[in-house]
Amino acid sequence: MKLACDLHIHSCLSPCGDALMTPNNIVGMAFIKQLDAIAVCDHNCARNLPAIKEVADMMNVLLLPGMELTTREEAHMLCYFRTVEECVAFGETIYAHLPPIPNREKFFGRQQVMNAQDEEIAVEERLLISALDLGFEECERLIHEASGLCVPAHINRGSNGVLNALGFLPESARYDALEISKKVAMPPMDLGNYRLLESSDAHYLENILEPVFHIDARERSVGAIFEAISGYST
């Protein structure tokens, strides 16, 4: 079956995410736009996923748990997991590799941890958009060791797309899919059999996708979406 998805959205935990990107607002917008599934992928952190999952369950929107890592080379890499618990645990592993640079709220924005009532329960003090002390291949290895999916983010867009950050897609790493941006032309290259994901990378509610991108899955479940993404690269 075809499931309408937006698999790259930021919450107000990301310093670049708008303050209105709260659990209820994100899931509510996905519901209004008739999306079957979303993935909230904050920078180097997964602390808002439990609240978002609680709201998503109430509104019958599937949540594929994820994060967006910034590698040592400042290339962005998405990772997805089957459960929130797995993603939060991986987030703790990643946090240990994040430099202790304090966030400057006036410049980068507030990094809010929310509950399911959209109440701030904590503020992340370490700047989450900093580059990890892990290289591109190291991040890929850690993701797969934790049974996650590795998807280089917006590979053809911006300085943090791997094609701009590194100039090439490393062949030494293993990817489960590639995220591309239709806003920028893809350079001529062989993308093999990789599944190409098209997501919003939304930092504002209005940027969350309409139901224009679909995943073919065996059923309407997070597990089926996870399997469908991983299956395209085998």
Side-chain angles (χ1 to χ4, degrees):
M1 63 187 306
K2 291 186 179 295
L3 301 178
C5 303
D6 187 348
L7 301 181
H8 186 175
I9 298 171
H10 289 270
S11 83
C12 54
L13 176 59
S14 291
C16 45
D18 188 66
L20 292 177
M21 297 296 275
T22 64
N24 282 275
N25 285 345
I26 291 171
V27 177
M29 183 62 77
F31 180 84
I32 290 170
K33 293 192 172 187
Q34 298 183 316
L35 296 177
D36 294 295
I38 59 173
V40 174
C41 302
D42 285 312
H43 289 288
N44 296 322
C45 192
R47 293 179 65 188
N48 268 350
L49 291 183
I52 296 168
K53 176 67 162 61
E54 186 176 339
V55 177
D57 286 349
M58 290 189 292
M59 300 192 71
N60 196 30
V61 175
L62 300 175
L63 175 69
L64 180 65
M67 288 192 297
E68 183 174 24
L69 310 185
T70 303
T71 72
R72 181 188 295 121
E73 303 89 348
E74 299 200 4
H76 286 180
M77 179 182 288
L78 299 170
C79 56
Y80 300 118
F81 293 87
R82 292 177 182 270
T83 69
V84 167
E85 291 76 16
E86 289 177 338
C87 195
V88 169
F90 186 71
E92 293 175 357
T93 297
I94 289 300
Y95 193 82
H97 295 276
L98 188 68
I101 300 172
N103 180 34
R104 294 164 54 195
E105 284 190 14
K106 291 183 179 179
F107 187 79
F108 294 108
R110 192 169 178 84
Q111 301 179 148
Q112 297 174 280
V113 182
M114 311 290 284
N115 64 19
Q117 289 73 48
D118 285 357
E119 298 167 332
E120 182 183 294
I121 58 174
V123 175
E124 174 54 53
E125 301 293 345
R126 192 177 293 192
L127 181 61
L128 292 175
I129 57 172
S130 299
L132 303 170
D133 65 1
L134 297 167
F136 196 82
E137 291 89 346
E138 292 174 286
C139 286
E140 177 270 323
R141 176 180 55 80
L142 287 175
I143 291 168
H144 284 131
E145 286 178 353
S147 300
L149 299 179
C150 173
V151 179
H154 45 74
I155 63 171
N156 59 322
R157 193 204 77 213
S159 59
N160 298 117
V162 64
L163 297 182
N164 289 323
L166 299 181
F168 61 97
L169 188 64
E171 295 182 359
S172 56
R174 178 169 63 89
Y175 317 111
D176 297 285
L178 303 173
E179 184 191 57
I180 63 170
S181 173
K182 284 202 166 181
K183 298 178 181 179
V184 181
M186 273 293 300
M189 62 182 297
D190 182 9
L191 296 178
N193 295 321
Y194 285 122
R195 175 58 151 127
L196 302 181
L197 305 183
E198 299 166 22
S199 304
S200 67
D201 191 9
H203 293 72
Y204 297 88
L205 288 171
E206 61 267 27
N207 297 139
I208 293 175
L209 281 188
E210 302 291 335
V212 295
F213 174 75
H214 297 80
I215 291 282
D216 289 319
R218 58 178 173 79
E219 64 180 20
R220 191 181 185 278
S221 71
V222 172
I225 294 172
F226 188 97
E227 292 166 8
I229 294 172
S230 62
Y232 279 100
S233 62
T234 58

